[in-house]
Amino acid sequence: MTEQDRVTVNDPRGPVNNGVGPQYVFYGAGADWLIRKGVDPLRIVREDRVRLADRFVPPLGFRAAADRLAKPGSVVLLEAPPGSGRRAAAIMLLHGLGEDGGADEEGARFEELPSTDKDEGPLAPGEGDRFLLDLSGIADEEAYARAQRRLAVRRTQVQEAGAHMAVVLPSGMEHAHVPDLAPHTVTLGRPRGIAVVTRYLRMDRMPFRPSDLGSAGLQRLCDRAPMRELARLAGLVRAARDSGRFGVDFAGWLDQAMHAVTDRAGEVGRQVAAVRTAPERALLLATAMFEEARADTVYEAWHSLMRTVRHEEEATSELARTDFGERLATLEIQRDRDGRLRFGPLAYADAVRTYFWANFPGMRDDLKGWIGHAAGLRGLTTDDRVNVVVRFGEQSLAVGRPDHIFDLVVRWADSTTGPPCDPRAAAALELGLSHERFGGWFRRRMYECVRSGPLSDGLVRVLTAACLQSLAATHPHQAIVRLHYLAVRKGEAASEAREALLGLAGRDRQLYRLLIDRLRDRTRREPRGAEPHLHLLTELLSYDRAPDPPPWPDLFLGWETVFAQPPAELWTPLVSSWLNAVTGDSTREMALGVMVGATRGRAAALHRLYAIACRWADTGRQSSRAAVAALFWQHIDHAQYARTESAERAGAGPRTTEEAR
């Protein structure tokens, strides 16, 4: 993968002390760049945790918290100041419980729970499951009181199941803690900042000596800065090295990184103050947003921005104005040999973007409209577009405007004709979902969206990709819920959502059970609109969709629902799939008895199963199919006999085969 194929995001509000943050590696540059083909979504999260473990420095109190959480059924509540790496500490406490030679316990869940009760499904923990509950974003006493009541219920469920849960408590709310929390609470300190920086640099194979980290400025930064800033500092050292523009020694790279962290905001402020005209300021911002794009494209984006903010063009012709190259030189913007634009100092473009979003709040709506158009300029590559989207998204989240991102997701998705999904919309939504502070907002907004009225095929595809690639990794139950709403819609995109839903459920027994329960519930509660749910349930219950080994109790409940509902033509592919499975694998013979039992002895249902088996046996290899069909018929006969015996004991008299039909 080339550098052009990689997009790295260092979100100032992302997870702390973890080396990961909302950091994206987008694979490939084609239309399906977002889809990590052949990768189990849960595996992506495990790899992120392993990377975090490599860079994590335990804070004071970590060992006490680990000891308290070690016993099955344990819950630990973490109290720590903001910026101390409290969320990362919670993740590492849970991660350590599932490690045995580097592998997670087979089948155990590692899942983050929603901090609010909106769209909250049943927890249903299992033995060895691990749950993260991050309440650090709660700042309202009433909301915290509600969260503590839910926490009490979850704590009981975790204890009874033998699972584990780590909870990050909000800072400054100690006075509102209920007394029951005290025995489970551990106070964490702040990791040594210099140790955090050292660990990051070593993991990046950086050539340095301990004495290289002895400057007073670095010591002050390590003593005061949040862990996320120290992680960003180490990332900037790596970026300076990898760019090849800042020398070949560690001292030069570190110097550039230190200036980027401590001085860039002031430098940008002074430059913007010195540049008083709208065109020059607009060119600064356009270059910062489209850095590394070709000069002609940045020129086009610059003029688009000036039109957006309603700046009047000069009356003179372009030949009479200051030329583009002179403007770039005046603003110290460099044009490389490939004609791409960038600023000279490390991370200067980041600081420019931050400055404009922070200091021109009245422009934010205009900037949203500008990016909505400019991110589609013809001169941009797919990677260029994703870069622009991520940069816009970072700034929107930093100033608390997640709605700006979602508005653009809908705009870009709705403008797409045909598959695949729009990469701009997909990147923006994935950025929002992964954000520590606003991830919950995006999950709720997706929920509202999938339950609303008509959606364009483009938006359905983007929401499906987000469920499959983001939510499935962090909130799989919520991914199932949203995909279910998408899958029962009409259209080609809904068919793709249905395939994604069935594939996701079939890889995890708990998700499979959850989807069966949801579909059974919808079938019973919505008889007039039950058909799409019933069709989906029937397909889910076929042999090629079921987990291996088959979860017989779940299949029984699902088959029971299908066999109690018309139309009977749905039964044929379902029953035939399991008859084929038994033909090829005798260990699946239990399916025959379970299917018959799921009819609850109803004569009409038993007759239909008999007829399906007859037609199935008449096709294909007669000898093998005949033996399976005969065994199936025996189960049917036993069920009919048992039903007749029961009826006779009840005084109803025997029923004839003709009556059963």
Side-chain angles (χ1 to χ4, degrees):
M1 182 169 60
T2 67
E3 281 299 312
Q4 286 76 18
D5 293 325
R6 183 179 291 109
V7 179
T8 302
V9 181
N10 291 299
D11 193 327
R13 295 185 181 271
V16 295
N17 189 19
N18 62 3
V20 182
Q23 190 177 60
Y24 303 92
V25 179
F26 296 135
Y27 294 86
D32 59 350
W33 60 272
L34 186 65
I35 307 302
R36 302 176 176 94
K37 292 183 177 179
V39 180
D40 183 346
L42 294 176
R43 179 62 184 165
I44 297 171
V45 171
R46 189 154 54 245
E47 289 173 349
D48 287 347
R49 298 200 309 265
V50 169
R51 186 176 187 276
L52 163 52
D54 288 339
R55 290 158 175 78
F56 181 71
V57 175
L60 296 174
F62 186 84
R63 174 47 53 195
D67 292 342
R68 185 161 304 188
L69 193 60
K71 183 179 178 182
S74 298
V75 176
V76 66
L77 289 75
L78 304 178
E79 209 168 47
S84 62
R86 51 191 174 170
R87 178 182 170 89
I91 294 172
M92 283 296 92
L93 286 169
L94 295 167
H95 179 68
L97 294 171
E99 290 301 294
D100 182 12
D104 284 341
E105 292 180 19
E106 184 67 27
R109 295 159 65 189
F110 190 112
E111 188 172 331
E112 181 174 357
L113 302 176
S115 59
T116 69
D117 57 358
K118 295 181 180 180
D119 187 34
E120 182 179 330
L123 181 56
E127 184 177 359
D129 287 349
R130 292 163 287 167
F131 300 100
L132 167 67
L133 177 59
D134 189 350
L135 304 178
S136 62
I138 296 178
D140 175 74
E141 289 189 22
E142 184 178 345
Y144 187 43
R146 291 195 300 269
Q148 290 183 92
R149 288 193 291 271
R150 291 192 302 275
L151 173 58
V153 175
R154 288 163 162 170
R155 191 177 71 200
T156 300
Q157 293 173 311
V158 166
Q159 290 171 339
E160 292 176 349
H164 308 267
M165 182 165 65
V167 183
V168 181
L169 297 176
S171 180
M173 301 286 286
E174 292 80 3
H175 62 282
H177 290 346
V178 297
D180 290 349
L181 296 183
H184 305 278
T185 303
V186 174
T187 300
L188 298 181
R190 188 180 188 279
R192 289 182 60 243
I194 196 67
V196 172
V197 172
T198 300
R199 189 72 174 263
Y200 274 67
L201 294 174
R202 285 177 175 166
M203 292 308 300
D204 286 332
R205 303 180 185 278
M206 200 66 63
F208 71 99
R209 299 181 301 272
S211 59
D212 294 332
L213 305 180
S215 72
L218 180 58
Q219 290 295 332
R220 284 195 299 272
L221 189 68
C222 289
D223 290 342
R224 301 172 185 175
M227 294 299 111
R228 59 176 166 266
E229 283 299 310
L230 300 184
R232 180 169 180 262
L233 173 67
L236 288 170
V237 175
R238 182 183 66 245
R241 178 195 65 184
D242 295 346
S243 72
R245 296 190 292 123
F246 303 105
V248 294
D249 63 284
F250 177 80
W253 304 330
L254 179 59
D255 182 64
Q256 282 291 326
M258 286 290 294
H259 280 294
V261 170
T262 59
D263 300 337
R264 289 291 180 259
E267 293 173 9
V268 170
R270 289 188 291 273
Q271 183 179 26
V272 175
V275 175
R276 308 303 299 180
T277 67
E280 276 68 30
R281 287 182 171 181
L283 182 53
L284 267 180
L285 180 55
T287 304
M289 289 300 298
F290 289 81
E291 188 177 38
E292 300 294 344
R294 296 195 176 277
D296 287 356
T297 305
V298 178
Y299 179 89
E300 195 174 348
W302 170 45
H303 279 274
S304 173
L305 175 56
M306 288 194 289
R307 288 192 298 271
T308 301
V309 298
R310 294 166 291 281
H311 175 74
E312 295 293 335
E313 289 280 358
E314 298 177 35
T316 59
S317 70
E318 186 168 4
L319 282 174
R321 304 175 205 158
T322 304
D323 67 61
F324 188 49
E326 185 178 346
R327 291 181 189 271
L328 294 176
T330 300
L331 296 173
E332 299 180 357
I333 298 170
Q334 301 174 356
R335 178 166 19 191
D336 67 16
R337 293 180 179 178
D338 294 330
R340 297 182 178 273
L341 300 188
R342 67 180 174 214
F343 293 97
L346 181 67
Y348 197 86
D350 296 347
V352 171
R353 295 191 294 268
T354 300
Y355 185 90
F356 275 94
W357 255 266
N359 294 289
F360 294 88
M363 284 181 55
R364 291 170 188 165
D365 287 335
D366 286 337
L367 293 177
K368 179 187 73 171
W370 170 54
I371 292 299
H373 163 72
L377 291 174
R378 286 180 299 176
L380 297 172
T381 66
T382 299
D383 290 336
D384 290 336
R385 297 180 202 279
V386 172
N387 281 332
V388 171
V389 169
V390 170
R391 291 163 184 166
F392 171 80
E394 287 181 306
Q395 298 306 320
S396 297
L397 294 173
V399 298
R401 295 305 303 265
D403 55 308
H404 279 184
I405 298 176
F406 202 86
D407 288 348
L408 290 185
V409 168
V410 175
R411 172 177 172 174
W412 288 325
D414 286 348
S415 66
T416 303
T417 56
C421 66
D422 189 290
R424 299 168 299 175
L429 188 50
E430 184 168 357
L431 174 67
L433 287 169
S434 68
H435 196 266
E436 180 182 339
R437 179 182 172 194
F438 289 110
W441 186 95
F442 280 92
R443 293 193 298 272
R444 289 191 295 274
R445 189 67 186 85
M446 284 180 63
Y447 183 65
E448 295 165 0
C449 192
V450 299
R451 296 179 72 240
S452 65
L455 302 177
S456 69
D457 275 4
L459 185 53
V460 170
R461 287 190 173 98
V462 168
L463 295 172
T464 297
C467 287
L468 200 57
Q469 303 305 321
S470 295
L471 279 190
T474 58
H475 298 77
H477 286 211
Q478 293 189 25
I480 290 289
V481 170
R482 286 151 183 76
L483 284 173
H484 178 195
Y485 280 110
L486 294 172
V488 294
R489 291 173 174 267
K490 296 180 180 179
E492 181 182 348
S495 298
E496 297 167 14
R498 185 160 54 251
E499 185 64 31
L501 173 64
L502 295 171
L504 178 60
R507 292 198 295 267
D508 184 282
R509 299 172 73 86
Q510 291 182 335
L511 299 182
Y512 191 76
R513 181 180 305 116
L514 169 67
L515 185 54
I516 287 177
D517 290 344
R518 281 186 61 84
L519 294 171
R520 292 177 65 235
D521 179 65
R522 293 302 188 277
T523 301
R524 290 195 300 264
R525 286 199 296 114
E526 304 171 11
R528 292 186 178 180
E531 185 175 353
H533 303 288
L534 187 61
H535 277 261
L536 195 54
L537 177 61
T538 304
E539 188 171 356
L540 178 68
L541 296 170
S542 64
Y543 171 71
D544 57 345
R545 297 293 188 182
D548 188 20
W552 300 116
D554 302 324
L555 290 169
F556 174 85
L557 292 174
W559 288 336
E560 182 184 42
T561 300
V562 172
F563 294 156
Q565 300 277 347
E569 59 265 21
L570 293 176
W571 300 15
T572 299
L574 170 62
V575 175
S576 296
S577 73
W578 284 96
L579 293 175
N580 288 330
V582 175
T583 302
D585 185 355
S586 61
T587 64
R588 302 293 186 253
E589 284 185 5
M590 185 177 289
L592 306 179
V594 175
M595 276 194 293
V596 171
T599 65
R600 292 292 186 183
R602 292 186 296 272
L606 291 170
H607 176 71
R608 289 188 186 118
L609 291 185
Y610 181 86
I612 291 170
C614 287
R615 289 194 296 271
W616 174 82
D618 288 339
T619 61
R621 293 177 295 177
Q622 296 297 321
S623 58
S624 57
R625 290 198 170 200
V628 172
L631 186 58
F632 195 35
W633 293 331
Q634 290 179 18
H635 285 287
I636 295 173
D637 289 342
H638 286 313
Q640 288 179 322
Y641 177 77
R643 182 178 182 277
T644 301
E645 287 289 303
S646 177
E648 288 178 346
R649 285 196 298 271
R655 289 172 59 85
T656 64
T657 303
E658 190 61 35
E659 287 178 305
R661 296 181 183 178

